[in-house]
Amino acid sequence: MEIKTYTHYVQYYETDKMGITHHSNYIRWMEEARVDFLRQIGWDYARLESEGIISPVVSVGCKYKHSTTFADTVSIEVSIAEYSGIKFKINYTMKNEKGETVCEAFSEHCFVNGSGRIVQIKKDYPEFHEVLKSLSEN
């Protein structure tokens, strides 16, 4: 399955007084790219929620390599670094128009139901499990 790179255009309000993108926005861009990724694999948030699955963030990290500014185009490559059937880790590589990496990041998620109980994707949602497993790097 080919996953298309997500593109974000840096907005003026995302920059600080120095004209540099505020570091917190990269976390928001990760969510945008993750939502797009799940849509591309056929398991968008609307479908997950209709199935009773919630996928909260349990950990996040970023390494900032280069700054971005208003009107820059940032491409975000998303990949599943790890998947256990219960939780998964997503890697994000963000690049500017020159192809330079501006940020390397990750987010980790588990799967729970509306009561907060862990959902075993492998057992309860085998179709979703197979998609995640096929895209996982581990």
Side-chain angles (χ1 to χ4, degrees):
M1 175 180 298
E2 184 180 339
I3 304 299
K4 294 179 183 170
T5 301
Y6 179 76
T7 302
H8 179 84
Y9 303 97
V10 180
Q11 303 299 308
Y12 185 77
Y13 70 85
E14 294 175 315
T15 62
D16 60 20
K17 190 173 181 176
M18 297 179 294
I20 305 295
T21 304
H22 190 272
H23 67 277
S24 64
N25 288 295
Y26 293 84
I27 305 286
R28 292 180 47 247
W29 302 349
M30 290 163 55
E31 181 175 348
E32 291 174 15
R34 183 173 60 255
V35 167
D36 181 67
F37 172 80
L38 290 169
R39 181 193 54 74
Q40 288 187 58
I41 67 171
W43 286 85
D44 63 19
Y45 271 103
R47 180 175 181 185
L48 289 174
E49 290 177 357
S50 73
E51 296 280 350
I53 303 170
I54 302 167
S55 184
V57 175
V58 296
S59 179
V60 66
C62 294
K63 288 184 182 178
Y64 304 101
K65 306 279 188 173
H66 290 280
S67 60
T68 59
T69 59
F70 171 62
D72 282 351
T73 301
V74 178
S75 63
I76 305 172
E77 298 171 11
V78 176
S79 62
I80 299 177
E82 300 171 15
Y83 169 67
S84 70
I86 295 174
K87 66 180 184 173
F88 70 127
K89 178 180 180 180
I90 299 176
N91 284 341
Y92 308 84
T93 302
M94 303 181 199
K95 296 181 178 181
N96 62 20
E97 299 98 331
K98 298 176 191 172
E100 299 169 320
T101 300
V102 296
C103 181
E104 293 175 341
F106 73 88
S107 61
E108 293 179 305
H109 308 260
C110 64
F111 300 101
V112 297
N113 63 22
S115 303
R117 296 184 58 129
I118 295 290
V119 173
Q120 296 180 29
I121 298 299
K122 182 176 181 177
K123 176 183 167 202
D124 299 331
Y125 300 90
E127 179 186 349
F128 187 32
H129 167 75
E130 287 304 320
V131 172
L132 293 176
K133 184 175 136 185
S134 73
L135 294 170
S136 176
E137 297 173 1
N138 68 337

